[in-house]
Amino acid sequence: MGKASVILYITVGILVLFLVSYSPKKKSHHDHNGGHNSQHHRLKLRSSFNFKPTRHDPIPFDPLVADMERRREDKEWERQYIEHSHPELASPAPGQESQPEWEEFMDAEDYLNDEEKFNVTDRLISLFPKIDVSPLDGYVTESELTEWNVQSSAKEVMHRSQRDMDVHDRNKDGFISFSEYEPPSWARDSGNYSFGYDIGWWKEEHFNASDANGDGLLNLTEFNDFLHPADTKNPKLLLWLCKEEVRERDSDKDGKIGFDEFFHGLFDAVRSYEEDNLNATHPYHDLPEGPAKQLFAQLDKDGDGYLSDVELLPVISKIHPTEHYYAKEQADYIISKADSDKDGRLTLAEMIEHPYVFYSAIFDEDDTDDDYGLHDEFR
């Protein structure tokens, strides 16, 4: 970063701090969302975690908060792993309690809510120039915030993959063989109703598709792709994902997808993805068959009236959205809540004016409450 940029951010930071310090009245954390009460809402860390590979919880905005949550998640993961894999070690010795862990968890929350130790305004001033990079112009755009979220998400995902790999790499050679790997308990116990876990997710075909270099072993990158195939660049694994879709949707078991099978399920997923990206308002499930037939014809390259696994490749990223999709969704939400002048981008002043959008907002696509600022807990 050049001298001019440093001077710019220092000047802006000093100006913002001056305005905040000398404001005649401290603004309510929720005044921008309809004048809700101004009492302080305690920042919280997540207290429950989803350990399945397909996890799309909101990405913590602040890397410091993300690190705290990772440490808490690691402890909970270790507890669940011992309970399922080594139940003989799960019961604490007489007089031994798990209270110290909980106290440490509360200490972390106390830290986050101590303005002397964790000042939200200072954190936003510190993080702003790390997000505003392309271009460096004093504004955070949707694409810059999306990229920030993508990088944060990638770190979270790789951390979990490394944790799983450490468990399954029995000979500690840094690789996973098929014989070393076994499905986690939640996969074994999921029954025959959830996509992926009963239709080959943990079988050798999936393993071999993840083995990009064909050496019979999965390194960390390949193992990460094995757990998160939607984000892979490996063409073998993307094709495997298409094959799994055919197996899942092929109700008459002819090995192909007919139009009815495509229209009732796959088309809904594709249309939903496209409408989310185009911010369309009409409900995709009420559309006539015309658009579905048009898309089906475009995908049916050999014109035989069916879709093969290869023919699904152009839309597989819409059926199984990547982390970039969720990162953009979260960026859109944040900007919609913090962009006071509605110019589609954020200034540092706007971010400081709406701190709880970044530090305590729940993003939940199923939430019907439009005022996300009412929530104050990371999930």
Side-chain angles (χ1 to χ4, degrees):
M1 186 183 294
K3 282 186 177 180
S5 301
V6 173
I7 293 172
L8 170 65
Y9 281 117
I10 291 175
T11 303
V12 171
I14 292 173
L15 177 60
V16 169
L17 285 174
F18 177 83
L19 292 174
V20 170
S21 300
Y22 289 91
S23 174
K25 180 180 178 182
K26 190 169 182 179
K27 188 174 178 66
S28 161
H29 295 306
H30 298 305
D31 282 349
H32 61 281
N33 279 333
H36 295 285
N37 67 69
S38 60
Q39 81 176 64
H40 177 71
H41 283 245
R42 180 178 174 84
L43 287 172
K44 296 181 180 179
L45 295 169
R46 285 176 299 152
S47 58
S48 61
F49 303 94
N50 177 5
F51 295 107
K52 295 183 181 182
T54 51
R55 173 186 177 274
H56 298 116
D57 290 335
I59 306 153
F61 169 78
D62 191 325
L64 186 57
V65 174
D67 182 64
M68 291 180 179
E69 290 202 340
R70 272 195 299 273
R71 284 187 275 119
R72 177 63 183 171
E73 179 182 288
D74 284 348
K75 288 188 176 182
E76 179 62 18
W77 180 88
E78 182 180 0
R79 185 187 67 80
Q80 291 191 23
Y81 172 72
I82 290 175
E83 283 182 356
H84 287 93
S85 302
H86 302 282
E88 71 280 3
L89 303 176
S91 300
Q96 220 176 10
E97 303 290 340
S98 59
Q99 190 65 24
E101 281 190 16
W102 180 250
E103 286 178 353
E104 181 179 337
F105 178 43
M106 292 305 295
D107 287 345
E109 287 192 355
D110 288 341
Y111 174 86
L112 289 178
N113 289 277
D114 186 334
E115 290 190 6
E116 295 297 321
K117 298 176 181 177
F118 186 87
N119 185 283
V120 172
T121 298
D122 289 345
R123 290 298 298 167
L124 290 172
I125 291 172
S126 171
L127 293 173
F128 188 89
K130 298 178 181 179
I131 306 171
D132 174 29
V133 294
S134 182
L136 195 159
D137 58 0
Y139 296 95
V140 166
T141 62
E142 179 208 61
S143 61
E144 288 172 326
L145 190 53
T146 297
E147 181 58 28
W148 175 260
N149 290 338
V150 166
Q151 292 175 11
S152 301
S153 176
K155 187 173 182 179
E156 295 280 308
V157 169
M158 190 59 77
H159 175 81
R160 292 186 210 103
S161 296
Q162 180 68 68
R163 186 177 61 199
D164 285 347
M165 189 169 188
D166 290 342
V167 168
H168 294 290
D169 181 16
R170 296 170 187 165
N171 62 4
K172 305 304 177 186
D173 63 351
F175 299 92
I176 300 287
S177 66
F178 183 69
S179 61
E180 283 180 311
Y181 196 77
E182 62 179 356
S185 58
W186 59 259
R188 294 195 302 268
D189 300 339
S190 63
N192 296 319
Y193 302 102
S194 57
F195 169 66
Y197 314 127
D198 58 312
I199 315 176
W201 196 273
W202 307 105
K203 294 182 180 178
E204 195 163 8
E205 182 184 1
H206 180 194
F207 185 94
N208 291 337
S210 305
D211 181 15
N213 60 11
D215 64 355
L217 301 169
L218 301 186
N219 58 32
L220 179 58
T221 299
E222 292 169 332
F223 185 61
N224 184 64
D225 283 353
F226 173 85
L227 296 176
H228 308 278
D231 286 285
T232 187
K233 299 285 192 290
N234 175 359
K236 290 195 302 181
L237 191 51
L238 289 173
L239 183 58
W240 171 84
L241 204 54
C242 292
K243 289 179 179 179
E244 288 302 298
E245 276 298 331
V246 171
R247 290 172 186 156
E248 169 75 0
R249 310 292 182 176
D250 180 21
S251 57
D252 59 8
K253 305 305 177 187
D254 63 354
K256 297 175 289 186
I257 299 293
F259 176 75
D260 286 342
E261 293 165 331
F262 173 77
F263 184 61
H264 300 290
L266 288 178
F267 178 69
D268 283 352
V270 172
R271 176 63 71 175
S272 178
Y273 176 96
E274 291 177 346
E275 289 186 349
D276 285 345
N277 278 272
L278 296 173
N279 295 317
T281 56
H282 56 277
Y284 61 86
H285 53 269
D286 288 340
L287 288 173
E289 291 186 359
K293 289 181 176 178
Q294 183 178 7
L295 178 58
F296 187 90
Q298 291 172 359
L299 296 173
D300 182 18
K301 296 299 183 183
D302 60 10
D304 67 349
Y306 295 92
L307 298 182
S308 65
D309 47 16
V310 174
E311 289 172 326
L312 282 180
L313 277 171
V315 292
I316 194 62
S317 64
K318 297 179 180 180
I319 298 169
H320 292 276
T322 64
E323 285 298 327
H324 185 276
Y325 168 83
Y326 295 101
K328 179 181 180 298
E329 208 171 34
Q330 189 168 332
D332 288 341
Y333 158 68
I334 288 175
I335 291 176
S336 74
K337 295 299 178 182
D339 181 19
S340 298
D341 61 8
K342 304 304 177 186
D343 66 349
R345 55 190 183 175
L346 300 178
T347 62
L348 178 57
E350 286 174 324
M351 290 173 66
I352 291 173
E353 184 184 359
H354 305 88
Y356 279 74
V357 174
F358 301 91
Y359 280 94
S360 61
I362 291 175
F363 181 83
D364 185 351
E365 62 186 351
D366 295 324
D367 197 334
T368 56
D369 185 350
D370 188 48
D371 186 2
Y372 290 91
L374 290 172
H375 304 289
D376 64 348
E377 183 176 330
F378 287 102
R379 279 187 181 175

